[in-house]
């Protein structure tokens, strides 16, 4: 069901396919793939330890941290989150060593920074090699839009009218800059300072641009970093340095520690130079140019229908139906985020989000993917598919961390995975947006 849409939302890092894209673009996806492979850490896109574990067909060990271990133990159930790959349980890879389980650098970062949490080890034994296909959440716009169009009858007339009006107003507010993005994707060269400053200003009206901005910068840092820490993670552990992106996000937005919300990620040019300089000084000079080249291309591919000519599209004076036709990816991302602003969203949450989760479970099970990962890059953000037949027989332990940073199983837990999303009211998003638990 809707297999082509879900295919388009996944990136295969060992057998890359060419996705349909709008015409008129200066570069192709294959051009960028070649450029990425030629960076200092580009080899990790195809040969990192996480992908090798998945494609080996051997048992997969994952770390999950939680503040709700007692509730999990009491209920005997593990649920997934809509905030993790549509509907997975957020984890980081573990490598089994003689003296314990070594966490991926993402996992060690979480252990260092997420206080008052407890750790679990999850062992999944797949039926065979798992495809190296990761879900790229930036490419979910068309699926978000289809879900809304199929389920808008659950909204009141007033809610629906307000949602449609608001998303069109948001596009109109930044239409000039969106046209600049398309022009740059088709060969124009806006000055770096002007481009970054306009991008930063546009995030407030179009929060999706904050997500795109962050992922482009994370890509730049992880592929180009040459610090000793990055080299050690790559050469000794076969890992991309996920800490670079974490440091960038938490330095850019003071409230990231309470809720990781990339809709707030909007550094202007001066701030960008400072932030990247703090992470890795040598990468600061090239960061604005990379964003100016990379982000417009990605935006065009993510936002526009493949039938469009990017050189002739304009966002000026577009109404809702026109956006459905020319930019379903962008419109879907806007609708998705605007739906979450509705006062009734806690009641509507299962209508929209559980529906998408069931679709992606069907896709993952069809392709025998028990452990999907974040496909913007294979950077160690991996999940558990709670509906996978392979996960039905998995083993889960409570774990402790020793002074060397290794995890050790201390008690096997009698729990099962349930293919149902965690109640919104007990998630970070729910607590932040709906503190009274409406």
């Amino acid at each position: 069901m809707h297999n082509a849409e879900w295919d388009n939302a996944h990136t295969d890092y060992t057998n890359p396919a060419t996705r349909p894209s709008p015409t008129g673009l200066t570069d192709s996806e294959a051009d960028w793939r070649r450029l990425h492979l030629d960076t200092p850490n580009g080899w990790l896109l195809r040969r990192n330890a996480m992908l090798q574990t998945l494609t080996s067909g051997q048992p997969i060990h994952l770390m999950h941290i939680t503040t709700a271990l007692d509730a999990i133990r009491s209920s005997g159930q593990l649920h997934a989150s809509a905030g993790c790959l549509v509907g997975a349980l957020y984890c980081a890879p573990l490598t089994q060593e003689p003296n314990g389980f070594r966490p991926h650098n993402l996992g060690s970062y979480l252990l260092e920074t997420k206080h008052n949490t407890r750790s679990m080890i999850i062992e999944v034994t797949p039926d065979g090699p798992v495809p190296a296909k990761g879900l790229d959440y930036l490419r979910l716009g068309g699926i978000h839009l289809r879900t809304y169009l199929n389920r808008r009858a659950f909204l009141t007339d007033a809610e629906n009218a307000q949602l449609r009006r608001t998303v069109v107003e948001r596009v109109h507010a930044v239409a000039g800059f969106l046209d600049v993005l398309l022009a740059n994707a088709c060969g124009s060269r806006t000055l770096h300072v002007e481009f970054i400053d306009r991008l930063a200003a546009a995030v407030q009206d179009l929060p999706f641009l904050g997500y795109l901005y962050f992922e482009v910068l994370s890509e730049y840092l992880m592929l180009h970093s040459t610090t000793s820490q990055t080299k050690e993670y790559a050469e000794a552990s076969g890992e991309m340095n996920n800490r670079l992106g974490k440091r960038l996000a938490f330095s850019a937005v003071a409230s990231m520690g309470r809720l990781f919300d990339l809709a707030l990620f909007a550094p202007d040019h001066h701030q960008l130079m400072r932030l990247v300089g703090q992470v890795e000084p040598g990468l600061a000079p090239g960061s604005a140019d990379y964003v100016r080249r990379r982000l417009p291309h990605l935006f065009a591919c993510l936002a526009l229908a493949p039938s469009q000519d990017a050189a002739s599209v304009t966002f000026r004076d577009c109404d809702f139906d026109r956006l459905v036709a020319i930019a379903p990816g962008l419109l879907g991302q806007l609708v998705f985020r605007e739906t979450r602003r509705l006062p009734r969203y806690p009641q509507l949450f299962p209508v929209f989000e559980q529906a998408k989760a069931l679709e992606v479970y069907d896709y993952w099970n069809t392709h025998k993917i028990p452990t999907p990962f974040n496909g913007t890059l294979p950077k160690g953000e991996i999940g558990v598919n709670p509906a996978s037949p392979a996960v039905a027989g998995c083993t889960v332990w409570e774990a402790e961390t020793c002074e060397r940073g290794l995890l050790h199983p201390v008690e096997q837990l009698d729990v099962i995975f349930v293919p149902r999303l965690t109640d919104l009211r007990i998630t970070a998003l729910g607590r932040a947006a709906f503190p009274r638990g409406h």
Side-chain angles (χ1 to χ4, degrees), residues 246-263:
K246 297 299 183 188
R247 288 175 58 193
L248 181 74
F250 282 83
S251 298
V253 182
S255 61
M256 282 295 189
R258 294 189 297 275
L259 178 66
F260 197 82
D261 185 4
L262 293 174

Side-chain angles (χ1 to χ4, degrees), residues 82-229:
C84 177
L85 305 175
V86 181
L89 183 77
Y90 187 84
C91 298
L94 290 170
T95 300
Q96 189 168 12
E97 296 186 345
N99 297 317
F101 289 89
R102 176 179 54 80
H104 185 281
N105 67 82
L106 165 64
S108 59
Y109 174 87
L110 294 174
L111 291 172
E112 293 166 14
T113 59
K114 298 294 184 181
H115 305 296
N116 302 315
T117 60
R118 294 158 80 178
S119 304
M120 299 162 61
I121 294 173
I122 302 169
E123 181 183 82
V124 178
T125 303
D127 297 333
V130 176
K133 298 177 71 165
L135 177 66
D136 184 344
Y137 74 96
L138 298 174
R139 297 182 179 275
L140 292 174
I143 293 166
H144 291 320
L145 179 60
R146 173 173 53 76
T147 303
Y148 156 73
L149 292 174
N150 288 345
R151 287 170 171 76
R152 56 188 162 178
F154 287 88
L155 302 176
T156 66
D157 290 344
E159 288 170 337
N160 193 45
Q162 177 64 41
L163 185 149
R164 292 165 70 97
R165 182 167 57 251
T166 302
V167 298
V168 171
E169 288 172 350
R170 288 186 180 278
V171 172
H172 287 173
V174 294
F177 179 65
L178 298 185
D179 286 355
V180 167
L181 287 180
L182 294 184
N184 277 263
C186 296
S188 294
R189 296 177 62 88
T190 303
L191 294 175
H192 299 157
V193 175
E194 176 190 351
F195 182 88
I196 298 298
D197 286 348
R198 291 188 69 179
L199 169 62
V203 171
Q204 181 176 354
D205 290 302
L206 217 65
F208 175 64
L209 291 177
Y211 291 78
L212 187 55
Y213 189 5
F214 171 77
E215 294 296 354
V216 166
L217 275 174
S218 295
E219 176 185 274
Y220 172 69
L221 291 171
M222 282 187 267
L223 289 175
H224 292 85
S225 174
T226 57
T227 66
S228 57
Q229 182 184 63

Side-chain angles (χ1 to χ4, degrees), residues 81-83 211 258-261 336-337 340-341 345-346 349 353 423-435:
S81 168
Y211 291 78
R258 294 189 297 275
L259 178 66
F260 197 82
D261 185 4
F336 169 59
R337 285 164 179 79
R340 296 196 297 185
R341 297 173 181 267
Y345 184 64
F349 172 78
E353 307 314 325
D423 190 315
L424 176 69
R425 293 168 296 182
I426 62 174
T427 66
L429 171 64
R431 289 193 298 270
F434 306 98

Side-chain angles (χ1 to χ4, degrees), residues 1-38:
M1 180 169 51
H2 310 297
N3 197 62
E5 282 184 301
W6 288 107
D7 263 336
N8 184 61
H10 284 77
T11 299
D12 190 329
Y13 281 92
T14 57
N15 186 28
T18 300
R19 299 181 178 94
S21 60
T23 59
L25 303 179
T26 300
D27 301 311
S28 67
E29 189 173 4
D31 293 331
W32 276 103
R33 189 180 302 123
R34 285 192 291 271
L35 288 170
H36 286 161
L37 291 173
D38 199 34

